[in-house]
Amino acid sequence: MNKQQLLFGLACVTYAVAAFVLFPRFNSNVLFGSVVLLAAGSWLYGRTIGLLLLLPTLTHQFLIYQHFANSYVYYTDRIAGTALLVTVVFIVGTQRNNLRAIQETTNWLDETVAKRNATLEKMTRRLIQRAEARRTAHGRDLHDSIGQQLTGIQLYATSLSEQLNADHNPGAAPAHSLTTRARTVHNNIRQTARLLFPVQLETIGLHSALDELEACIQTLRNTRISIKIEGDLASLPPNKALQIYRICQETALLITQECVPQTIDMALKHDSDRIDIQVAHDGPPLAGAIGDSLEAQLIKYRLNMLAGHIAGLPSQHWRSAFHFGIPLETEGHAT
């Protein structure tokens, strides 16, 4: 028996005794205590238990009237009191049962949503992992296949340009122009491949990959970007370092694509327990619809994997200056 049941039982016993003492003074009005207790029992235990409690309540009422039958006659009160008790049990007990049903349904919905969210998080993590693998494969293909072919074309064009120049052939100038264009295209392909597959991230570390990200953005998007780093990033786990790199990369690409700024300033601060990434640019703010784009959602998913958050921003709206907070004491939902 819990504390609630004990208090309810004591209240019933106290009322049953007190009703006989108070009845001569309050007459049938003392029976309203039965209504209160029966309503409380129906609310605490439901309609079925309330109907069971109705039996001792009616018995108690019958005993009171029988005990004082020589002095008082309350036939009308007996009928009205009984009807009131039954009505209270059905109304209060039904409301309690409905409330319990709603609570059970709510709990079931919460559990279902939690399971669906867990499934969604697993699917999202797998999609990000597969997207990362595909990016790496495309980056290697660009670097190893197309990049190698462009290297060969560049060598042939250089050789042709030198030969035509030695022979004082008028075609030396177009050949030299072809060599320059081949070199430019090769450099752009190499930069694009490094964006897809940051080699330095595996061999040298996150710091060097971010340095190269600066050069790639400036070359491919013609936007000056400055990435300042405070603290040691070499101690970060490879998976977490890759996600942080992708957050910086995708944020910079999203800003250059949608806002077309001239300058992007990014700062990474590594403390003992967190990493703060501050981003600012001189272009217009990102609109709310863009903030809900696939690119923005991907950044938010990566933050979720790191248990991070976008700090200091209204919901569904990115401004021209914002920052990400990523804790290091936990691995988030996934690493």
Side-chain angles (χ1 to χ4, degrees), residues 27-28 40 45 57 63 84 95 132 168 198 282 328 330-331:
N27 299 329
S28 62
Y45 306 110
T57 303
L63 292 176
L84 179 61
Q95 294 299 323
E132 190 64 43
H168 302 284
D282 57 2
L328 296 179
T330 61
E331 293 297 320

Side-chain angles (χ1 to χ4, degrees), residues 58 61 65 74-87:
L58 293 177
Q61 181 180 358
Y65 284 126
Y74 297 101
Y75 298 106
T76 304
D77 289 344
R78 293 180 186 183
I79 298 175
T82 302
L84 179 61
L85 292 175
V86 174
T87 302

Side-chain angles (χ1 to χ4, degrees), residues 300-318:
K300 293 176 182 178
Y301 284 137
R302 294 188 187 278
L303 285 171
N304 185 56
M305 293 175 66
L306 299 174
H309 62 280
I310 304 174
L313 289 180
S315 176
Q316 298 182 349
H317 190 79
W318 291 23

Side-chain angles (χ1 to χ4, degrees), residues 123-138:
M123 294 177 62
T124 302
R125 184 165 60 251
R126 291 179 181 177
L127 287 174
I128 291 178
Q129 291 172 350
R130 292 184 179 181
E132 190 64 43
R134 182 163 295 184
R135 277 186 174 186
T136 301
H138 289 336

Side-chain angles (χ1 to χ4, degrees), residues 275-314:
I275 288 182
D276 287 318
I277 305 175
Q278 298 182 357
V279 184
H281 63 90
D282 57 2
L286 287 171
I290 299 173
D292 291 332
S293 63
L294 292 177
E295 294 81 0
Q297 291 298 327
L298 182 58
I299 295 172
K300 293 176 182 178
Y301 284 137
R302 294 188 187 278
L303 285 171
N304 185 56
M305 293 175 66
L306 299 174
H309 62 280
I310 304 174
L313 289 180

